[in-house]
Amino acid sequence: MYTTELDKSRPVDLQTGEPKDLVDAFEARVAADEFIEPKDWMPEAYRKTLIRQISQHAHSEIIGMYPEGNWITRAPSLQRKAILLAKVQDEGGHGLYLYCAAETLGASRDEMVDALHSGKAKYSTIFNYPTLTWADIGAIGWLVDGAAIMNQVPLQRTSYGPYARAMVRVCKEESFHQRQGYSIMLALAEGTDAQRRMAQDALNRWWWPSLMMFGPPDDASPNTERSMRWRIKRETNDELRQKFVDATVPQAELLGLSIPDPDLTWNETRGAYDFGDIDWSEFYAVVKGEGMCAKERITARKKAWDDGAWVREAADAYEAKKQARNVA
Amino acid sequence: MSKDWPLWEVFIRAKGGLDHKHAGSVHAPDGEMAVNHARDVYTRRMEGVSIWVVKSTDIVSSDPDAAGQMFEPAKDKIYRHPTFYELPDEVKHM
């Protein structure tokens, strides 16, 4: 659901002493938009940057199930419930596609899961905000998944083959997520005054966190240049954010809702919307784990993992028993 | 030592008459469960009518560094393609 590298504090250093002919050949291949596959030679920094980015992306998909999972039992109709269940299941699937892509780079699933549960690994800040009303489920699909699509569409052409292929699959499914969210917003917007207020309140709370999903501004993203050269990233954070604003404002107008930004104006010369400053101190606080629901999310995740331990153990025992029978 | 279950590569036949095609991979303790996981992870939207799983460690692959000597010899054998042959105009269809 989310891809921008969150942890900017430790850029991966370029390794010295890598054979120059291999480095040059690698650079030439990515510059020519060729795909790099798991067994191809790649610089260590490329491998490490990708493992970090893909695993953070996977963790975000997994944690992304929690804010929405909250509402499965409280969906307003059986159809909405079935849809939300399918959407949350997709997020779990996306996490699995991405973990597999990271594993092709030599990361183990076990280590990645441990890193998430111990709080060492980052995931998208957006999931540390609470889902207070049913309208939040609409706003998440429309805005959060909408922002994710903006991020993920260019990643279908990212230079690492397994990541690009996972993104193709994810993007196909993500479009349903955004539309079901918008459909919830539409129903509320056409509803009673109280329902319209609920929709507006959800937009007010999710708008700025959604803009933050694209990551820090370009001048505060030290890794952007190298990631662009290596085609790990195809467009900068600010470019994608602008695209998102331009696409979303007319959709809000259609709902009859207003974007909570007094500085938002159409800029005729740029052919794009100007928008207000983002409160980055909030973003960095949430990245550091000070988000409202940070503890709750990880606690719920660990509980699900621990509660499922007996199933994993039973599956192992069953396999061991079958093996023993085959030997005998 | 990783506590991970073995990794299985998943191949899916989209519909009758087509080949099984690589879709991705799953972890599972045994083949039967790998098929079940593959069903949940890769066929939520009728993407398939048949699933194969193969332990990743059982796959033998060609060496990317040897790709040149493996595949380049085919490059100059263009006479293997029908377009290599020019037909007289009178032969309308062959």
Side-chain angles (χ1 to χ4, degrees):
Chain A
M1 196 182 252
Y2 179 85
T3 54
T4 304
E5 253 200 296
L6 299 162
D7 191 355
K8 298 285 181 186
S9 52
R10 305 171 286 120
V12 177
D13 290 329
L14 266 180
Q15 200 135 323
T16 49
E18 294 187 318
K20 190 176 178 312
D21 53 332
L22 291 178
V23 174
D24 289 348
F26 170 86
E27 293 278 356
R29 285 185 66 194
V30 289
D33 277 334
E34 277 184 41
F35 287 102
I36 305 300
E37 294 296 339
K39 291 187 174 175
D40 295 343
W41 187 89
M42 60 189 83
E44 246 341 269
Y46 177 83
R47 181 189 302 276
K48 283 188 182 146
T49 306
L50 271 173
I51 289 179
R52 192 160 81 183
Q53 180 171 327
I54 300 173
S55 61
Q56 282 177 0
H57 193 166
H59 298 326
S60 301
E61 302 281 356
I62 297 298
I63 296 298
M65 293 193 280
Y66 289 86
E68 289 180 303
N70 247 347
W71 280 90
I72 290 174
T73 53
R74 286 176 277 171
S77 71
L78 185 58
Q79 190 187 37
R80 293 283 187 203
K81 180 175 177 168
I83 291 172
L84 186 57
L85 202 54
K87 189 214 185 243
V88 171
Q89 192 189 11
D90 273 355
E91 306 299 359
H94 296 178
L96 294 178
Y97 307 155
L98 286 159
Y99 281 132
C100 283
E103 283 173 82
T104 63
L105 291 157
S108 92
R109 177 76 62 95
D110 201 34
E111 283 164 14
M112 289 188 280
V113 168
D114 277 351
L116 175 64
H117 293 179
S118 70
K120 211 179 110 208
K122 307 278 182 220
Y123 57 86
S124 179
T125 53
I126 197 93
F127 304 119
N128 285 337
Y129 291 91
T131 42
L132 303 178
T133 72
W134 173 249
D136 288 28
I137 301 307
I140 287 180
W142 172 37
L143 301 173
V144 176
D145 288 277
I149 291 172
M150 281 292 169
N151 252 321
Q152 289 171 163
V153 164
L155 284 173
Q156 295 177 95
R157 294 176 296 117
T158 193
S159 61
Y160 188 58
Y163 192 24
R165 290 192 288 276
M167 281 300 104
V168 169
R169 206 172 274 281
V170 166
C171 284
K172 254 190 226 163
E173 301 180 349
E174 205 82 67
S175 176
F176 138 60
H177 298 176
Q178 192 182 18
R179 286 184 185 202
Q180 65 84 35
Y182 196 66
S183 141
I184 292 173
M185 296 304 275
L186 267 173
L188 293 171
E190 289 163 359
T192 64
D193 283 348
Q195 286 171 323
R196 264 193 298 279
R197 277 198 303 275
M198 201 186 195
Q200 181 64 54
D201 171 62
L203 171 58
N204 292 349
R205 283 181 290 109
W206 290 94
W207 175 254
W208 292 104
S210 298
L211 294 194
M212 292 177 201
M213 279 179 69
F214 295 94
D218 294 347
D219 49 24
S221 293
N223 287 339
T224 292
E225 195 200 325
R226 191 175 72 194
S227 287
M228 295 281 283
R229 191 180 82 231
W230 280 348
R231 309 289 200 262
I232 290 174
K233 249 176 137 151
R234 307 287 321 213
E235 287 176 77
T236 71
N237 298 352
D238 287 335
E239 283 166 2
L240 291 165
R241 188 165 14 242
Q242 181 71 56
K243 268 195 184 174
F244 174 74
V245 171
D246 293 344
T248 310
V249 172
Q251 294 164 0
E253 283 167 0
L254 204 68
L255 292 170
L257 301 178
S258 50
I259 303 277
D261 178 359
D263 297 323
L264 186 84
T265 43
W266 177 252
N267 183 326
E268 197 67 53
T269 40
R270 283 202 311 131
Y273 284 95
D274 292 334
F275 51 94
D277 290 331
I278 292 170
D279 178 6
W280 289 110
S281 59
E282 177 183 324
F283 174 81
Y284 288 112
V286 183
V287 167
K288 272 193 290 173
E290 292 163 18
M292 257 179 269
C293 302
K295 276 206 192 83
E296 193 183 323
R297 299 288 182 246
I298 291 298
T299 307
R301 174 68 205 132
K302 278 204 289 219
K303 183 176 183 308
W305 180 255
D306 293 341
D307 288 353
W310 71 271
V311 180
R312 296 191 296 276
E313 283 159 18
D316 276 335
Y318 179 62
E319 170 60 8
K321 192 173 81 180
K322 273 196 302 182
Q323 289 295 338
R325 260 192 212 140
N326 285 347
V327 172
Chain B
M1 226 333 243
S2 163
K3 303 187 293 278
D4 286 333
W5 280 336
L7 193 66
W8 303 74
E9 297 303 320
V10 177
F11 299 83
I12 292 175
R13 186 199 295 283
K15 56 179 182 182
L18 296 182
D19 295 325
H20 284 76
K21 206 177 146 220
H22 186 241
S25 39
V26 293
H27 285 279
D30 60 48
E32 193 187 336
M33 207 143 156
V35 169
N36 286 330
H37 285 172
R39 177 245 181 209
D40 288 344
V41 178
Y42 294 106
T43 65
R44 290 193 300 279
R45 289 179 177 75
M46 297 183 294
E47 287 95 337
V49 294
S50 161
I51 295 173
W52 287 349
V53 294
V54 182
K55 257 193 193 160
S56 306
T57 47
D58 287 343
I59 291 183
V60 180
S61 67
S62 63
D63 174 5
D65 293 333
Q69 52 179 354
M70 284 280 275
F71 305 112
E72 267 164 28
K75 232 186 225 168
D76 56 4
K77 297 179 179 61
I78 50 172
Y79 46 82
R80 284 176 169 160
H81 298 276
T83 45
F84 176 76
Y85 303 93
E86 266 184 42
L87 289 177
D89 287 347
E90 289 77 2
V91 181
K92 293 234 161 42
H93 187 74
M94 182 181 277

